[in-house]
Amino acid sequence: MLVDRSWPVHLQAMTVIAATAAAMIAVDTAYFQTFRRRSTGLQAKPMRALEVERVMRKLIGFIVTLTTSAAVYWILPEYRREFYAPYWAALYDTLPALLVAAPFYVAYVDRRQTDPEDSYAEIGAFVLGGAVPQRTEQIRQHVRGWIVKGFFLPLMFVYLCSALGSILAGLEQPYQFDIMRWHAFAIDLLFMVDVLVAVVGYIFTLRVLDNHIRTVEPTVFGWLVCLACYEPMNAATRAYLNYETGANWTAVMPTPALQVFWGSAIVFCVLIFVWSTVSFGLRFSNLTNRGIITCGPYRWIKHPAYVSKNLSWWLVSVPFLTATDPLKRCGTPPSCSGSTPSMHFAPSPRNAICHATPITPPIAITSPRTVL
């Protein structure tokens, strides 16, 4: 098995992330050869000798960015919750390696950049000599980009830890043919793939891979719409815009055949949603432009993730049905009633999606993502 169940959960997740990232980077570099694209802003061969002064300015700008991010985390009470413990553990384990690798990466890129005076260089110049940044829009993009990363990476990493624990726990259970158990496992597996690609995309934002951030959403409205879908803001969203009736789809399907049909439709919608995420590959990110995607379901529809995920929400929560609906009165079998002792319905910690999972052993609910 790829991960050892005796390891801390953050190490299990980091192992899966490393293996997935290695495969994705290998495909991008060996097959697509993204490093050769002009959009990287890099030349194949060095354009200049190593300029230590500018490299030092960039490293200082990088350290200032990390320090500022750490200060924001420390100030905001949200990030002191136990919920984020796996993220902090992973950060402490990987930060030394990041600081060691940074000078080599910065020096390599600086010699090949067509425009080496990037945002890190300008921030470093300001810190060292008080030089006012000349490219204010570049600095704004830098700040917004790191806010996106700083907000979403902790969430996605914690969701991945939860999803991975759910999958591994499910694999350890004795085999039995139970359509509802298989449905829950399929949903958990798909959402694990979804957040795994998201985490890899947020971590490996590199110009040499041509997945660097081009632009970040500039409008307040765009940010509000996106952040309303995520913790901790989604608690307020659910309070004011709760569309659920309290009934889960499993509680209103009167026959096993209809359960199979309905559950398969949910899995299909989630599959399309995850396919949309996978199509982004290393370029996935919320609220940013990291390159135009024309593959996967984006060949045929502009917003496949929005369409498929919203359909899955409606199919899961069946807000158009109630406990007094004719389907319910047809006689719901005890095996799929809301009071059955073998199943429970747990809300997703992010987007208020529900699905059935076995009570014993407890399996954490994978938090689905919203791509905006």
Side-chain angles (χ1 to χ4, degrees):
M1 183 178 289
L2 180 62
V3 296
D4 188 334
R5 288 286 280 158
S6 64
W7 295 350
V9 64
H10 74 280
L11 289 181
Q12 298 177 23
M14 288 166 61
T15 303
V16 176
I17 291 168
T20 304
M24 295 171 69
I25 291 173
V27 170
D28 267 26
T29 54
Y31 182 75
F32 294 108
Q33 298 188 340
T34 53
F35 61 92
R36 295 183 181 275
R37 294 174 179 170
R38 289 193 299 174
S39 53
T40 62
L42 303 176
Q43 295 296 318
K45 296 181 179 180
M47 301 176 62
R48 62 188 70 86
L50 179 64
E51 296 187 24
V52 177
E53 183 271 340
R54 185 171 56 239
V55 170
M56 291 301 299
R57 281 193 283 123
K58 291 183 176 182
L59 288 173
I60 290 173
F62 179 60
I63 292 173
V64 168
T65 300
L66 291 181
T67 304
T68 304
S69 300
V72 173
Y73 283 140
W74 181 76
I75 292 171
L76 297 178
E78 167 69 13
Y79 294 99
R80 301 172 199 167
R81 293 167 50 199
E82 185 65 22
F83 173 81
Y84 293 99
Y87 175 69
W88 298 127
L91 198 60
Y92 294 147
D93 287 345
T94 56
L95 188 58
L98 175 64
L99 295 178
V100 169
F104 298 97
Y105 175 79
V106 171
Y108 176 88
V109 170
D110 182 78
R111 295 186 66 196
R112 291 162 174 80
Q113 275 183 284
T114 55
D115 184 9
E117 290 293 332
D118 58 17
S119 56
Y120 292 107
E122 292 213 27
I123 293 172
F126 175 76
V127 172
L128 289 175
V132 178
Q134 299 299 311
R135 306 177 184 181
T136 55
E137 180 57 30
Q138 180 175 260
I139 298 298
R140 281 195 287 266
Q141 295 285 357
H142 175 88
V143 172
R144 288 197 292 259
W146 272 91
I147 291 175
V148 170
K149 183 189 291 286
F151 179 83
F152 285 104
L153 182 55
L155 285 177
M156 298 300 141
F157 185 83
V158 173
Y159 295 152
L160 176 61
C161 291
S162 175
L164 183 60
S166 176
I167 293 300
L168 294 178
L171 291 174
E172 291 174 352
Q173 297 181 50
Y175 174 81
Q176 58 178 336
F177 184 77
D178 183 327
I179 189 64
M180 298 307 300
R181 189 181 296 272
W182 277 103
H183 173 270
F185 183 82
I187 295 294
D188 284 339
L189 180 61
L190 287 171
F191 279 133
M192 188 196 75
V193 173
D194 173 66
V195 292
L196 175 59
V197 173
V199 169
V200 171
Y202 280 115
I203 292 176
F204 296 93
T205 307
L206 301 172
R207 185 175 290 275
V208 294
L209 297 175
D210 196 34
N211 70 337
H212 57 290
I213 295 175
R214 277 72 163 173
T215 58
V216 184
E217 170 62 42
T219 67
V220 174
F221 179 73
W223 281 75
L224 290 177
V225 170
C226 179
L227 298 185
C229 302
Y230 293 92
E231 293 186 54
M233 280 70 80
N234 64 351
T237 305
R238 284 198 297 265
Y240 287 97
L241 301 174
N242 187 12
Y243 59 86
E244 295 178 297
T245 63
N248 187 272
W249 70 275
T250 56
V252 294
M253 296 297 117
T255 65
L258 192 54
Q259 289 180 32
V260 171
F261 171 78
W262 205 271
S264 299
I266 294 172
V267 171
F268 178 75
C269 289
V270 176
L271 179 62
I272 298 299
F273 169 71
V274 176
W275 184 23
S276 303
T277 300
V278 173
S279 298
F280 277 85
L282 292 170
R283 289 150 195 79
F284 176 82
S285 176
N286 294 67
L287 292 168
T288 62
N289 169 23
R290 296 172 65 179
I292 305 302
I293 306 300
T294 59
C295 61
Y298 291 94
R299 295 175 182 174
W300 303 288
I301 184 173
K302 188 175 183 178
H303 297 299
Y306 297 145
V307 173
S308 58
K309 193 169 190 179
N310 276 280
L311 284 175
S312 72
W313 282 344
W314 279 75
L315 291 172
V316 168
S317 298
V318 285
F320 44 86
L321 299 177
T322 67
T324 59
D325 188 87
L327 274 176
K328 179 71 174 178
R329 292 199 299 268
C330 286
T332 304
S335 61
C336 62
S337 67
S339 60
T340 175
S342 62
M343 307 294 290
H344 78 290
F345 309 106
S348 160
R350 290 203 299 113
N351 295 342
I353 288 185
C354 301
H355 63 269
T357 56
I359 283 184
T360 306
I363 294 180
I365 304 303
T366 301
S367 298
R369 273 188 320 88
T370 299
V371 182
L372 288 177

